[in-house]
Every structure is written in C-alpha cells, then in structure tokens.
Amino acid sequence: MAKIKAGIIGAGIGTYHIEGYQAHGDAEVVALCDLNEEVLAQTAEEYEIEKTFTDYTAMLELDLDCVSVCVPNKFHAPITIDCLKAGKNVLCEKPLARNAKEGQKMVDAAEKAGKTLMIQFNNRFRPEARMLKGHVDAGTFGDIYFARCGWIRRNGIPGWGGWFTNQEVAGGGPLIDLAVHMLDLTMWLMGNPEPEICMASTYSVFGPQMEGLGPWGTPDPDGTFDVEDMAVGMLKFADGQTILLEASWAARIKREWVYSTICGTEAGASLERVFAVDGVDDSAIDTLELYTQEQGEPVDRVVKVEPDPAMGRHTAVKHFVDCLIDGVEPISPGTDGLRIMKILDAMYKSAEQGKAIRIK
Ligand SMILES: NC(=O)c1ccc[n+]([C@@H]2O[C@H](COP(=O)([O-])OP(=O)(O)OC[C@H]3O[C@@H](n4cnc5c(N)ncnc54)[C@H](O)[C@@H]3O)[C@@H](O)[C@H]2O)c1
C-alpha cells in the first residue's frame, strides 16, 4: 500500500504533526511550508523533509493526500479552504478559526470537496481522556448533568505583542486559545449536548501591563495586547446540563491547572493536569480519579495512567491517518470545531453585552 503523503504548513506546533506522521508506518511527510525561511530550513533539516516552500499554494501543486494546517488562527480558514479546493484532506489546528462564520466556510468547503476536515482537539487523545471516555461509554457515570472545566495559568501569556495577543490574528485570548481544548473535551465526554444559552465575562488585567508573561514567546513591546487575559462563563444545554468554564493566561492563582470534572447520576470523575511550577517547564502531573458510592460509602478510585508528554498530539495525527486509510470519519471532525466556535462567539458576545446570549 502506498504511504499517505502529508504536507505541513507552519513549523511551530507543526513539528508535533511531523512527528505524528513520521511515527506512523503508513505515512510520510513529503513537504513543509513556512513563511520564515530560517525556521523552514532548520525544521526541514531536523526532520529530513525533502521539499520546502514559503508559498503554500505552490506546495498544494504536489500530489499530497493531506495537509496539516498549523498557522496562526487568522489563516486557518483561507489556507484550509485552499487545501480542500486542491483536493487535500486537512488536519487543522485548534481553534477551527477566529469565529463560527469562518469555521462554517471551512466545513462547507470540506463537504463540497468531499474531503476530510479534522480538527486537532488533541486533548481527546490523551490516554486519561480516552480511559475516561471508555468509562462514559460503559455507563459508569449514568447521566452527566454538570461539569466544570478550564485551563488557567498564573503566568502564561504567550508572548506580548505577538500574534496570540492580537485580536485581529488570534480572534481572542485564553478562551479561544486554551479553554477551547477543555470545553471540547468536556462536551465530548457529555455526548456533545445541544448548547442553548451562555453567560460569560472577560477581563484584561495583566496583559495590558505586560505582566504575567511567563516564558511563552518573545515579548514585542511594539505589538498589541487587545484580547482578554481571563474568561469565565456558564453554559446551559437543551437537556438541562450545565458547564462552568474558566480560562486564564495570567491571574493571581496558585499555578497552571488544566481540568475537567464531570458529575453524573451514578458517579463522577476528575481529569487534571497540574503543572509543577508555572511555565518553568512542562513537568506536570496528570491524574484521573473516579468518585463513586460503594457499600453506602464514598469511594475515590485512582486510575493509573501513563502520561503522554505530547498531550495526545501524536496520537491525534495517527488517528487522522488511520481514518484516511480506512475511509472513515474522524472522532473530531470540523463540525465539532464549528460547534465550539459557535459557543465561543456567544460567550464573547455575552461578555461584551453583559447579558445572557442564546447560542445559535
Ligand atoms: N494543539 C495544541 O496543543 C496547540 C499548541 C500550540 C498552538 N496550537 C495552534 O497551532 C497554531 C499555530 O500555533 P504555533 O504555536 O505553532 O504558532 P507559531 O507562531 O509558533 O508558529 C506558526 C508558524 O506558522 C508560520 N506561518 C504563519 N503564517 C504562515 C503562512 N501563511 N504560510 C506558511 N507559514 C506560516 C510562521 O512563520 C510560524 O513559523 C495556532 O492555531 C495555535 O492555536 C495548538
């Protein structure tokens, strides 16, 4: 069988995609594209990628089965749509786009082209997330009616003045950057209920003062910080479920914490990643606990998980390749990314207007 031929656009987090394809026995990375010639040359050399491009449209002339789109959020929609029109399947980084309008165009383009569009919701592919989903599917929790989830950092603004802190390029702050992961994971665990209404607040306290930068990226004092540095919200679903959500890049809290806690009629669970020290390195402790009632007593069960330092990123790429080979729909199609964008749009609107917003 011929190997799946992949091209990568964007050599930042895109290196995880390269590693994912290269670890798959039935896939290979034949081309890499990045606007930054230095990054392009270095990455191509490190991963022994033969063909390099600074213009992705030239790369799309190659005979590729798929493309990973790993560029800043503003470019997800136009580049993904061009890839789909060129007949390539696409694995697009999160968030799907800057907003639902752009996301809808991507989903429509995939449908029109008859190609696969998968969103890189890699947190679903973390070992503990897959184990938790296994318990959900086995009925361990009964009906899940409430969840609390978030990704909060004490000192972790990804650069200052770079693209992450620029509304025009990123589409928002930690809500669209970090919370998107845990909201998706939590909704997936809950069986993707139909979102109905939201109430949210956003704050920008430390970003404008260039505080709470942490080690993510190089600050650019000439750049802009016009996104939130914290967001909180409550979502209500058509069948009565509720999710509380929080996200921050900078806040006076103990440390970075990534979590999803679900409460069901039979049992509950908490999946957590607690970082040792904010931003010093990636050393974190991943845990999965189940909360049950046995013999009339409350019982905590600790599930033994082998942590994945790549946080499921390689496994997600493997899944994408497997789906292309088997001709099946991925577990995180573009439509799931679009559902999340509609919620985030409504949350930003709610924060701006100071009232509850119906999610459409
Ligand atoms: N899934 C995850 O865990 C995860 C982690 C980090 C970032 N991301 C997402 O990945 C995307 C990229 O983030 P990043 O951290 O790698 O950013 P980055 O700025 O570190 O890297 C982006 C790269 O894309 C290149 N680029 C920009 N525009 C381009 C274009 N038009 N054509 C070709 N190359 C272009 C840049 O030169 C840069 O090298 C974002 O959407 C981000 O939200 C996902």
Side-chain angles (χ1 to χ4, degrees):
M1 189 188 74
K3 287 191 172 188
I4 294 286
K5 292 192 188 66
I8 312 287
I9 308 177
I13 203 72
T15 55
Y16 279 95
H17 291 243
I18 298 171
E19 290 162 4
Y21 290 113
Q22 290 186 338
H24 197 299
D26 295 321
E28 60 184 335
V29 178
V30 299
L32 175 66
C33 170
D34 199 291
L35 290 177
N36 183 323
E37 291 187 27
E38 208 181 311
V39 169
L40 178 65
Q42 271 172 10
T43 313
E45 190 185 349
E46 186 181 343
Y47 291 99
E48 299 180 354
I49 302 169
E50 204 187 314
K51 298 190 171 87
T52 58
F53 299 84
T54 49
D55 174 2
Y56 74 89
T57 59
M59 189 183 92
L60 294 182
E61 285 171 21
L62 296 179
D63 176 25
L64 300 171
D65 297 294
C66 61
V67 174
S68 276
V69 175
C70 311
V71 291
N73 306 348
K74 177 181 181 176
F75 309 110
H76 287 190
I79 294 182
T80 295
I81 292 167
D82 283 348
C83 291
L84 292 163
K85 280 185 178 163
K88 321 300 184 204
N89 299 289
V90 175
L91 172 55
C92 181
E93 265 300 341
K94 49 54 64 175
L96 187 63
R98 290 179 299 183
N99 51 54
K101 195 173 168 197
E102 291 180 346
Q104 184 69 58
K105 288 182 185 161
M106 296 162 76
V107 166
D108 292 347
E111 204 177 304
K112 192 166 175 204
K115 293 289 164 189
T116 298
L117 171 59
M118 171 170 152
I119 176 154
Q120 176 76 335
F121 278 146
N122 53 286
N123 279 267
R124 291 193 195 184
F125 295 87
R126 287 165 56 187
E128 57 275 31
R130 283 179 293 144
M131 288 165 120
L132 183 48
K133 183 72 163 79
H135 275 282
V136 169
D137 293 344
T140 304
F141 305 106
D143 292 330
I144 302 169
Y145 55 91
F146 173 72
R148 209 169 51 211
C149 64
W151 191 323
I152 50 176
R153 285 186 187 152
R154 179 170 180 162
N155 283 296
I157 298 175
W160 196 104
W163 72 263
F164 276 100
T165 68
N166 183 298
Q167 175 70 32
E168 156 68 12
V169 188
L175 183 61
I176 201 169
D177 178 41
L178 299 179
V180 67
H181 279 297
M182 300 321 282
L183 176 59
D184 170 69
L185 173 64
T186 305
M187 284 185 54
W188 179 59
L189 292 169
M190 294 171 85
N192 283 326
E194 190 60 39
E196 207 168 57
I197 206 156
C198 78
M199 181 83 186
S201 303
T202 55
Y203 302 92
S204 192
V205 177
F206 302 105
Q209 306 167 32
M210 280 189 80
E211 264 195 66
L213 292 175
W216 285 275
T218 313
D220 171 9
D222 297 328
T224 52
F225 188 104
D226 58 358
V227 294
E228 83 279 2
D229 58 21
M230 177 183 246
V232 295
M234 175 174 164
L235 307 172
K236 288 203 70 138
F237 296 85
D239 289 335
Q241 302 96 326
T242 305
I243 294 181
L244 293 182
L245 175 70
E246 57 176 347
S248 75
W249 278 339
R252 299 284 192 250
I253 53 167
K254 190 165 182 180
R255 58 165 71 109
E256 183 166 5
W257 184 33
V258 186
Y259 67 95
S260 173
T261 298
I262 54 173
C263 295
T265 48
E266 301 294 325
S270 196
L271 176 155
E272 294 180 71
R273 164 166 273 234
V274 180
F275 285 75
V277 186
D278 245 60
V280 170
D281 56 34
D282 266 352
S283 53
I285 299 173
D286 292 311
T287 54
L288 172 57
E289 291 180 346
L290 308 185
Y291 310 118
T292 64
Q293 190 84 358
E294 295 172 24
Q295 309 290 342
E297 306 290 345
V299 173
D300 295 356
R301 293 178 173 274
V302 179
V303 182
K304 298 285 182 198
V305 281
E306 191 64 46
D308 173 6
M311 292 184 84
R313 295 182 183 113
H314 298 147
T315 320
V317 175
K318 179 183 183 305
H319 174 73
F320 178 57
V321 173
D322 288 344
C323 289
L324 295 183
I325 292 171
D326 297 340
V328 296
E329 176 92 334
I331 64 163
S332 58
T335 43
D336 283 10
L338 178 58
R339 183 191 296 116
I340 297 291
M341 290 320 304
K342 287 179 180 172
I343 296 175
L344 299 188
D345 279 6
M347 288 181 75
Y348 280 124
K349 198 168 171 188
S350 167
E352 196 186 315
Q353 298 186 359
K355 61 180 190 188
I357 296 288
R358 194 155 286 280
I359 302 162
K360 290 187 213 126

